Amino acid sequence: MRFSTIFIVALRALRRNAMRSILTALGIIIGVAAVITMVSIGNGAKAQIEAQVATLGQNIITVFPGSFSQGGMRSGFGAALTLTPEDAEAIAAEVEDVDGVSAEITERSQILANGLNWNTTVKGESPDYPYIRNWLVAQGTMFNEQDVKSLAKVAVIGKTVADQLFPNEDPIGQTLRIRNLPFRVVGLLDTKGFDMRGQDQDDVVLIPYTSHMRRVSRRTNINTILIQGSAPDKLDKVKMDVEDLLTQRRRGREPDFTVRTQEEIATMATATSSTMTLLLAAIAGVSLIVGGIGIMNIMLVSVTERTREIGIRLAIGAHGRDVLTQFLIEAILLSSLGGIIGVCLGIAASEIVSQTNGWPVLVSPSSVFIAVGFSAAVGVFFGFYPARKAARLDPIEALRYE
Amino acid sequence: MPPVVQIRDIHKIYESGEVPVHAVRGVSLDIHKGEFVALMGASGSGKSTLMNLLGCLDRPTRGSYLLDGIEIEKLNRNELADLRNQKLGFVFQGFNLLARTTALENVELPMLYGRHRRLGMSEIRERAMHCLEIVGLANRHDHFPNQLSGGQQQRVAIARALVNEPQVLLADEPTGNLDSKTSVEVMGVFQKLNDDGITIVMVTHELDIASYTRRNLILRDGVVVRDEAVQNRLIAHKELARIGQAEAAAKLVSSPAA
């Protein structure tokens, strides 16, 4: 018997019991819809965090100063200021596949301009900084290498600072005072929004790191080094090279720095939401298995109830395999049809959740394929036993069955 | 021309209970093409067992069975199924139509399992319609079994049995669930088919039904005790006319068919 004919036979059998077929599929429908919705909500949360991480820039590797211990008391990461601008310069000069390096030094400071004052973060950076952070200069220009070399008193400011200090006027060309030193505003950054910790990234003033070290903070160390790798697949290599180079530069002293790729930072940030997604998906997966058992139950009942039908089919020339295939197809049809309807329902439910609660929801194609594939597999797995039972019936016994 | 059915000293012993049951004890039988045989016997005489053997639904414990020249003892389960599909047509006492399946789809069923010839869906439909026409139910092809009377259901079953052009049509008490008039109608269908050359073997315990056939076999305790040609054979359409007149006389129906 041709497969297409068995398919028609199976379809007719399902149609004969339309109501029961729908109810049977309902278990799978709910299971799949639950999986899709849960995974979508989880993925949405994860994507949101990842998007925030991505505002850091593309392919970023960050070098943090390490911890130090003094008289047995150990400080945390970042407390030891052991990174130098020379480290940054060495990285830029010697490590391959690096598109940009910025020595970063950060300090909060009170700044004055226009008769107004504002407490903000003053960052010393390299000219590569906007490029690394993928942060355009909206007006004016970024300061350049020449400015870094000459310790120029120039500043590029964020939108928030501009709004606070230069309301209703063009900030470019204006002067602001940091520690009473006048800095000329040469550029205005694009709006960037809030970072992962909810801090306003636009509340910032960028000046050359050399100016920051010599004129503002009077420090010899920098806080962090931002490095941009040339491609995502080069990041691990760059990270290792940076570690090797810095270790070399320490000349046998214990490594006092930590190198983290953006991916690692993102992984840490999304770890919780990943666990939650997994948990929710597992719970939904259980309901999918319960749905599968429902299919097996109905198929078993159906084999008993349709014993006579099976007897007729066997008597008029059906092979055991024909009957097996028919029942298997019925089970697979039920489960995969349920899977497809479940996917639609799950996507709709995700939409509703995102509309009503304002949660970010992301339906991933992979979860859709996995859910449909899994539900079909459930059909094969739970359909096989009843189908085999049907195929092994004795035609005489089956015909006599009341 | 060799007989369509050739049985030699066939035995069937059921071992399922504590005591083996010897249901058929050495039956030999030839049925030629075009015969119309009634297999008769009291309950427990072994006629149903013999019918299952004839229908290749069961295997004899001993003895040989040639169906259209094919030795059935050597066939496996699937080959038996193919043989049933190609050489035999079944009509059961309880009709055994698939419920909630139209008459047409019921008749199509044996063709769907036919491995000997591969038919397209449109051809299958056409042939099923043709067989429904033979039994006079073409206009009811889209009816479900529960929308048909017993006689009509049995005619659908006959159409289903005919659809693969079998060598032998096997009927197991085909009139057992029908009233006398409908029984005669069904016998009329069988007689018409037989007149067209189809071989029919029928199990019945009703003597008057047996007298519509051409040959009667009486079974008792698993052996054939009588095998004779039917004298004074009844002709169904004449009987129907007679019944019609009797009914009209008794005012059961308005007037006899003109």
Side-chain angles (χ1 to χ4, degrees):
Chain A
M1 191 169 175
R2 272 171 299 189
F3 184 79
S4 59
T5 343
I6 303 184
F7 193 83
I8 292 167
V9 168
L11 212 60
R12 283 176 179 176
L14 287 182
R15 204 186 52 196
R16 284 212 314 269
N17 288 301
M19 189 64 191
R20 188 173 68 188
S21 304
I22 292 165
L23 286 175
T24 310
L26 203 59
I28 294 289
I29 292 174
I30 291 171
V32 169
V35 169
I36 298 280
T37 314
M38 294 305 164
V39 172
S40 300
I41 291 172
N43 279 343
K46 204 168 140 189
Q48 193 181 32
I49 295 167
E50 276 169 355
Q52 283 171 343
V53 172
T55 63
L56 291 176
Q58 298 261 303
N59 307 329
I60 303 251
I61 295 172
T62 313
V63 185
F64 298 100
S67 65
F68 69 96
S69 47
Q70 197 173 42
M73 189 180 77
R74 297 170 70 214
S75 73
F77 279 130
L81 294 176
T82 52
L83 297 173
T84 61
E86 289 74 32
D87 286 332
E89 279 158 25
I91 290 166
E94 290 177 38
V95 179
E96 277 177 40
D97 294 317
V98 167
D99 281 2
V101 176
S102 182
E104 187 173 80
I105 177 163
T106 308
E107 199 177 78
R108 285 200 78 83
S109 185
Q110 202 76 19
I111 54 173
L112 305 160
N114 231 359
L116 296 164
N117 71 84
W118 185 247
N119 188 285
T120 187
T121 307
V122 178
K123 282 184 166 182
E125 295 285 358
S126 307
D128 283 344
Y129 184 74
Y131 174 67
I132 294 171
R133 296 278 325 260
N134 193 19
W135 196 354
L136 295 176
V137 178
Q139 282 175 56
T141 53
M142 184 63 185
F143 49 78
N144 55 30
E145 285 296 339
Q146 189 55 46
D147 294 325
V148 172
K149 276 187 191 133
S150 62
L151 280 58
K153 288 182 277 184
V154 287
V156 174
I157 62 174
K159 188 74 171 56
T160 307
V161 173
D163 288 346
Q164 293 299 331
L165 296 181
F166 308 106
N168 308 321
E169 47 186 317
D170 185 4
I172 307 294
Q174 304 265 16
T175 303
L176 53 80
R177 288 180 167 272
I178 306 169
R179 295 236 172 144
N180 229 7
L181 288 170
F183 279 76
R184 188 164 50 83
V185 178
V186 294
L188 173 67
L189 289 166
D190 234 350
T191 311
K192 188 86 169 172
F194 295 87
D195 71 1
M196 275 182 286
R197 295 186 213 97
Q199 277 181 2
D200 183 2
Q201 299 181 83
D202 297 318
D203 190 4
V204 72
V205 174
L206 305 180
I207 59 175
Y209 68 92
T210 45
S211 313
H212 200 293
M213 292 170 75
R214 297 279 171 78
R215 297 183 193 276
V216 179
S217 54
R218 307 236 162 85
R219 275 166 27 188
T220 52
N221 292 305
I222 55 174
N223 287 97
T224 43
I225 302 171
L226 289 179
I227 304 162
Q228 182 169 46
S230 60
D233 55 325
K234 298 270 170 53
L235 287 192
D236 287 335
K237 172 87 167 58
V238 172
K239 180 189 168 184
M240 271 164 54
D241 289 351
V242 168
E243 279 171 346
D244 287 349
L245 178 68
L246 292 184
T247 308
Q248 219 177 350
R249 287 176 56 81
R250 296 299 179 270
R251 294 207 179 81
R253 273 184 289 131
E254 234 179 273
D256 49 8
F257 58 88
T258 313
V259 186
R260 289 247 164 83
T261 62
Q262 192 180 8
E263 201 184 342
E264 287 167 336
I265 296 168
T267 307
M268 283 187 280
T270 57
T272 318
S273 90
S274 294
T275 312
M276 279 307 286
T277 307
L278 206 67
L279 191 72
L280 291 172
I283 293 169
V286 168
S287 73
L288 202 53
I289 289 172
V290 172
I293 294 171
I295 286 194
M296 174 144 85
N297 184 20
I298 291 294
M299 293 309 290
L300 277 174
V301 170
S302 162
V303 168
T304 313
E305 192 190 276
R306 288 157 66 187
T307 301
R308 259 181 109 81
E309 176 198 324
I310 296 161
I312 296 166
R313 290 183 190 279
L314 291 171
I316 63 174
H319 288 192
R321 271 188 62 156
D322 298 336
V323 174
L324 181 108
T325 317
Q326 180 195 331
F327 273 76
L328 211 51
I329 290 176
E330 282 183 32
I332 295 168
L333 268 177
L334 277 182
S335 59
S336 41
L337 225 65
I340 290 164
I341 298 172
V343 165
C344 300
L345 216 64
I347 292 172
S350 309
E351 244 353 273
I352 291 167
V353 164
S354 108
Q355 296 282 328
T356 52
N357 295 342
W359 295 352
V361 164
L362 189 76
V363 180
S364 73
S366 67
S367 72
V368 169
F369 285 121
I370 289 170
V372 172
F374 186 72
S375 57
V378 160
V380 175
F381 186 78
F382 290 110
F384 187 76
Y385 173 68
R388 202 189 53 172
K389 205 177 155 197
R392 288 189 174 175
L393 284 174
D394 175 43
I396 299 173
E397 292 292 321
L399 279 172
R400 216 178 276 156
Y401 185 87
E402 291 298 329
Chain B
M1 198 174 167
V4 184
V5 171
Q6 191 177 9
I7 288 177
R8 288 294 171 268
D9 194 27
I10 212 167
H11 289 258
K12 180 68 190 180
I13 302 163
Y14 291 109
E15 305 273 6
S16 54
E18 280 181 21
V19 184
V21 178
H22 212 142
V24 174
R25 305 162 179 258
V27 171
S28 295
L29 189 63
D30 282 346
I31 295 171
H32 288 88
K33 194 163 170 48
E35 282 201 86
F36 189 179
V37 183
L39 209 56
M40 302 184 68
S43 149
S45 61
K47 61 183 191 305
S48 290
T49 305
L50 186 58
M51 200 63 176
N52 285 341
L53 292 173
L54 282 173
C56 301
L57 288 165
D58 211 349
R59 269 178 243 258
T61 315
R62 277 208 306 280
S64 78
Y65 175 16
L66 286 177
L67 174 63
D68 200 24
I70 299 165
E71 272 184 78
I72 75 131
E73 301 97 280
K74 292 181 180 157
L75 303 180
N76 64 25
R77 192 178 145 108
N78 285 342
E79 286 165 336
L80 280 180
D82 289 341
L83 199 68
R84 289 196 297 270
N85 183 260
Q86 293 159 30
K87 307 273 184 196
L88 300 171
F90 290 92
V91 178
F92 304 94
Q93 179 177 2
F95 320 134
N96 276 344
L97 298 176
L98 295 191
R100 277 162 288 173
T101 305
T102 63
L104 190 67
E105 284 178 0
N106 263 295
V107 177
E108 284 173 0
L109 206 57
M111 286 186 283
L112 299 183
Y113 291 109
R115 283 177 168 75
H116 56 305
R117 57 176 156 228
R118 303 232 142 152
L119 303 172
M121 268 327 270
S122 62
E123 205 181 342
I124 284 176
R125 188 131 292 197
E126 227 167 78
R127 289 171 67 123
M129 269 313 273
H130 175 69
C131 287
L132 278 175
E133 268 163 36
I134 293 176
V135 298
L137 281 176
N139 55 336
R140 298 293 188 96
H141 68 93
D142 57 346
H143 285 219
F144 294 114
N146 59 0
Q147 296 168 321
L148 298 170
S149 71
Q152 287 167 333
Q153 287 187 51
Q154 195 59 298
R155 270 145 65 191
V156 173
I158 293 169
R160 181 179 67 188
L162 287 175
V163 84
N164 268 349
E165 293 164 341
Q167 294 295 316
V168 184
L169 200 141
L170 296 169
D172 191 356
E173 305 235 19
T175 61
N177 286 13
L178 300 174
D179 64 50
S180 54
K181 188 184 168 195
T182 319
S183 298
V184 177
E185 280 173 8
V186 167
M187 291 318 292
V189 175
F190 278 137
Q191 283 189 333
K192 185 167 143 252
L193 294 172
N194 184 240
D195 289 344
D196 294 340
I198 292 172
T199 314
I200 303 172
V201 179
M202 181 178 84
V203 166
T204 182
H205 59 263
E206 295 167 85
L207 277 170
D208 54 330
I209 292 298
S211 51
Y212 286 94
T213 65
R214 294 173 190 274
R215 177 183 173 192
N216 285 2
L217 283 167
I218 316 287
L219 244 76
R220 192 185 302 146
D221 296 332
V223 289
V224 177
V225 293
R226 203 146 136 215
D227 181 355
E228 58 182 16
V230 175
Q231 312 293 324
N232 304 322
R233 185 170 179 247
L234 294 175
I235 304 300
H237 66 88
K238 286 183 188 163
E239 286 302 307
L240 276 176
R242 200 175 53 74
I243 293 168
Q245 276 163 2
E247 280 179 343
K251 305 282 183 206
L252 272 175
V253 288
S254 56
S255 69

